[in-house]
Amino acid sequence: MSTPENCTHDCGSCSAACDSRGMDPSQFQEKLSPESSVKKVIGVVSGKGGVGKSLVTSLMACRMRAENFRVGILDADITGPSIPKAFGVHEQIRVTPDGRLLVPAETATGIQIISSNMILDHETDPVIWRGPVIAGAVKQFWSETYWENIDYMFVDMPPGTGDVPLTVFQSLPVDGIIIVTSPQELVSMIVTKAVNMAKKMNIPIIGLVENMSYLECPDCGKKISVFGESHVEEVAKENEIPVLAKIPIRPEITKSVDEGTVEYVKAEFLDTAVEAIKKL
C-alpha cells in the first residue's frame, strides 16, 4: 500500500487503507533545529478575521514574559502579519554565522519574534503566495529558526480552519489552543467550527478569550456592551470549555499597538488566562 498524494494524515476522517494508517501523528511533525529549545507551544486561533487574535497573542506573550519566562512568537499569519508592528520591530531577519538558521528579532523586553514581514524589502509589500508556499514558510519558521531556550511559544494563526491552521496542528507539537472571539450573535457557529477542528486534530483547547467585550464608562465605571450582549458564556458551556478572559475596549490599548509599545499595556484582565497557560 502507498499513501495517497492528497493525504491530510487525519485518519479519523478517512476511510482509505494506506501506509499512514496507524502511524504515530508525531511522525509528521517538523523537528526543531538541534540548537533550538521550545518547551510549550500555544496556538492562538479564531474562526473569523478581525476579532483581535494578534492582539491576544501579543498581550499573552507580554504577560508570560512579565512572569520571567522566556517567550517566543511565531507569526503564522503569513499574508496578514501584524505582530512586528505591535512590538515596534522593523528589522529584517538575520541568519546565524554559518547561514543555516534564521535568527528571530528580539523585542524591548526580550520576546523572540519571527514574521513574514521581516523578510520583505518593505513592510507594506503584499505577500502573494499560494497555499503550499505559505505552509512551507510556517514550517521553516519553526524548524529552521534559532529559538533560544523558549519556555512558551505563541503561534499567531490566520483566521479560519484552512491550510495554515492545518499545517500548524500537524507540523508543530501544539500543547493547546486559545480561541479568540467577539460578542456577536454569529460567534456560536464560528467558535464551534474552531472547536470541532481542534477536536478532529486532537489538539487540547485551553479556553476562550472574548475581545471587545465591553466599554468602561470613564466617569461612572459602568460596563457598556457596544457590540451587544455577550454570548461567550453560553458558547463556552455548549462546548465545555472555560472562558479565560473578557478584554475591554480601551483606547490606550489601540494606541499602544499602533505605536509599537504593546509591551507596556496593563493587561490585568488576562490573569486567568496566564494561570491556565502555566498549568499546561
Side-chain angles (χ1 to χ4, degrees), residues 243-262:
V243 176
L244 300 176
K246 293 183 178 181
I247 302 178
I249 300 170
R250 291 180 181 170
E252 61 267 27
I253 296 178
T254 303
K255 186 173 184 289
S256 293
V257 171
D258 288 343
E259 294 178 347
T261 57
V262 72

Side-chain angles (χ1 to χ4, degrees), residues 3 37 90 114 155 159 171 175-176 236 249:
T3 302
S37 172
H90 303 287
I114 198 160
V155 182
S171 303
D175 293 283
I249 300 170

Side-chain angles (χ1 to χ4, degrees), residues 26-277:
S26 65
Q27 293 183 334
F28 301 113
Q29 291 178 358
E30 296 290 316
K31 304 296 184 185
L32 276 176
S33 69
E35 298 88 344
S36 297
S37 172
V38 177
K39 295 177 182 176
K40 296 290 181 184
V41 178
I42 300 97
V44 183
V45 308
S46 63
K48 65 185 293 295
V51 298
K53 172 184 47 57
S54 297
L55 173 65
V56 172
T57 301
S58 301
L59 292 178
M60 285 301 305
C62 294
R63 284 298 308 272
M64 298 308 292
R65 181 69 188 120
E67 298 273 332
N68 291 320
F69 293 109
R70 292 188 62 85
V71 180
I73 300 178
L74 192 162
D75 188 355
D77 195 350
I78 302 297
T79 60
S82 55
I83 294 296
K85 179 175 174 57
F87 286 88
V89 172
H90 303 287
E91 64 189 77
Q92 289 193 319
I93 289 177
R94 297 179 294 110
V95 296
T96 52
D98 59 9
R100 292 190 307 108
L101 299 174
L102 303 174
V103 178
E106 195 164 290
T107 72
T109 60
I111 298 171
Q112 297 176 41
I113 290 178
I114 198 160
S115 169
S116 61
N117 243 25
M118 297 161 60
I119 62 175
L120 303 176
D121 291 332
H122 305 96
E123 292 180 342
T124 55
D125 289 346
V127 178
I128 309 174
W129 298 346
R130 293 192 181 275
V133 179
I134 293 173
V138 172
K139 293 179 182 179
Q140 184 178 18
F141 284 170
W142 169 257
S143 62
E144 298 180 30
T145 298
Y146 176 44
W147 295 110
E148 186 178 3
N149 300 321
I150 298 296
D151 295 308
Y152 293 99
M153 167 77 73
F154 290 91
V155 182
D156 183 21
M157 287 196 270
T161 55
D163 216 18
V164 172
L166 182 62
T167 296
V168 171
F169 288 165
Q170 290 183 332
S171 303
L172 275 60
V174 180
D175 293 283
I177 63 168
I178 293 173
I179 301 175
V180 184
T181 185
S182 60
Q184 296 165 327
E185 282 286 354
L186 79 159
V187 72
S188 176
M189 178 186 69
I190 298 300
V191 169
T192 303
K193 285 179 180 290
V195 168
N196 287 338
M197 180 180 189
K199 288 179 177 178
K200 284 181 179 292
M201 303 297 295
N202 294 317
I203 303 295
I205 302 170
I206 302 168
L208 284 175
V209 171
E210 183 180 68
N211 188 33
M212 300 177 285
S213 187
Y214 57 88
L215 177 68
E216 286 181 330
C217 175
D219 296 323
C220 66
K222 180 181 178 181
K223 294 182 179 180
I224 304 168
S225 300
V226 178
F227 296 104
E229 291 303 316
S230 171
H231 299 276
V232 70
E233 299 288 353
E234 302 165 25
V235 175
K237 186 176 181 180
E238 289 172 7
N239 290 282
E240 300 180 327
I241 53 179
V243 176
L244 300 176
K246 293 183 178 181
I247 302 178
I249 300 170
R250 291 180 181 170
E252 61 267 27
I253 296 178
T254 303
K255 186 173 184 289
S256 293
V257 171
D258 288 343
E259 294 178 347
T261 57
V262 72
E263 288 166 288
Y264 306 106
V265 171
K266 293 181 179 179
E268 75 288 344
F269 41 77
L270 290 175
D271 286 350
T272 300
V274 168
E275 291 306 312
I277 294 294

